[in-house]
Amino acid sequence: KNQVEQSPQSLIILEGKNCTLQCNYTVSPFSNLRWYKQDTGRGPVSLTIMTFSENTKSNGRYTATLDADTKQSSLHITASQLSDSASYICVVSAGKSTFGDGTTLTVKP
Amino acid sequence: DAMVIQNPRYQVTQFGKPVTLSCSQTLNHNVMYWYQQKSSQAPKLLFHYYDKDFNNEADTPDNFQSRRPNTSFCFLDIRSPGLGDAAMYLCATSGRTSGGSKETQYFGPGTRLLVL
């Protein structure tokens, strides 16, 4: 069964600090991996998308990495801001998309 | 700006009373999706359209139906809402556009459904 597991489930950090969110998957064959940011009560917004041949992709303060051999991805957030407080969802596609349950990030002043 | 629009943002209905949620897009994408998302859970795909071809997920209840009268619009009909159907309903699109990835899904803001 294709699965996407994200950790931690929730995370609290202070404004200005960095953090890293993890995504492990068993989806096969692999097409692409996407990270989304979902603000409370809103739809997910795409942050990055990576194919099998890409191992890093940046979008401003967000940097995603991918290790297709170990089936792991991480999302690194640099110099966090209060507006980074949201749920971050990892989605892995093999034709069909499998969603992780997300990591809820809270950034405190 | 090209976007995915969902109306209404909040919908209140009564137990058993049919309700329709709407989604429109200006992205000219050929694929449209409907997801159900409950609190602190991942979005769950209900069905999707590839152009006019309807693709239902195996575990989507018969209570949920969909219509796509044209490329821009897609509707989610819940024939007899139960208390367990209260959730956020997300519409998404994907498809080739200039400068965009075919695989990236673009989500609307969602419609939060409350069943009384």
Side-chain angles (χ1 to χ4, degrees):
Chain A
K1 180 181 177 183
N2 289 335
Q3 288 187 312
V4 176
E5 295 185 355
Q6 292 187 241
S7 62
Q9 187 175 12
S10 62
L11 181 63
I12 301 173
I13 61 173
L14 293 176
E15 186 179 13
K17 297 296 185 183
N18 303 336
C19 67
T20 300
L21 313 180
Q22 298 290 343
C23 174
N24 297 339
Y25 61 92
T26 61
V27 176
S28 183
F30 174 86
S31 176
N32 63 70
L33 185 147
R34 291 164 274 155
W35 283 94
Y36 286 89
K37 177 187 178 188
Q38 185 174 23
D39 292 317
T40 301
R42 308 288 296 184
V45 174
S46 179
L47 295 175
T48 63
I49 177 169
M50 290 182 290
T51 60
F52 182 87
S53 60
E54 297 174 295
N55 55 24
T56 187
K57 185 71 71 78
S58 290
N59 178 0
R61 293 180 297 103
Y62 301 100
T63 299
T65 63
L66 172 64
D67 186 333
D69 291 332
T70 61
K71 298 188 176 181
Q72 295 180 326
S73 177
S74 65
L75 180 69
H76 186 74
I77 304 174
T78 304
S80 61
Q81 299 176 358
L82 298 179
S83 59
D84 292 331
S85 295
S87 179
Y88 292 83
I89 303 172
C90 175
V91 182
V92 183
S93 291
K96 189 172 181 177
S97 293
T98 302
F99 285 68
D101 284 337
T103 291
T104 300
L105 175 65
T106 302
V107 181
K108 293 196 170 183
Chain B
D1 287 343
M3 58 192 341
V4 181
I5 303 162
Q6 289 189 244
N7 286 306
R9 292 294 314 281
Y10 299 91
Q11 176 73 58
V12 181
T13 190
Q14 293 179 330
F15 182 94
K17 184 174 182 181
V19 65
T20 294
L21 310 182
S22 69
C23 176
S24 64
Q25 53 131 340
T26 60
L27 296 159
N28 202 31
H29 282 169
N30 58 334
V31 190
M32 294 188 77
Y33 310 79
W34 278 106
Y35 289 87
Q36 178 192 66
Q37 186 179 28
K38 297 190 176 181
S39 181
S40 301
Q41 294 182 17
K44 177 180 179 298
L45 182 64
L46 296 173
F47 25 60
H48 74 277
Y49 278 92
Y50 193 102
D51 292 323
K52 292 185 178 182
D53 293 333
F54 178 71
N55 298 272
N56 197 32
E57 293 300 299
D59 56 354
T60 297
D62 292 339
N63 198 24
F64 292 87
Q65 304 286 322
S66 184
R67 295 170 284 135
R68 189 179 186 187
N70 53 51
T71 300
S72 301
F73 286 87
C74 195
F75 300 97
L76 170 62
D77 301 309
I78 308 177
R79 293 191 300 187
S80 182
L83 298 179
D85 296 328
M88 172 78 88
Y89 290 88
L90 296 166
C91 173
T93 72
S94 68
R96 290 194 187 277
T97 60
S98 59
S101 166
K102 175 179 177 292
E103 298 281 356
T104 298
Q105 292 184 26
Y106 295 83
F107 284 83
T111 294
R112 183 164 296 281
L113 178 68
L114 180 63
V115 181
L116 300 179

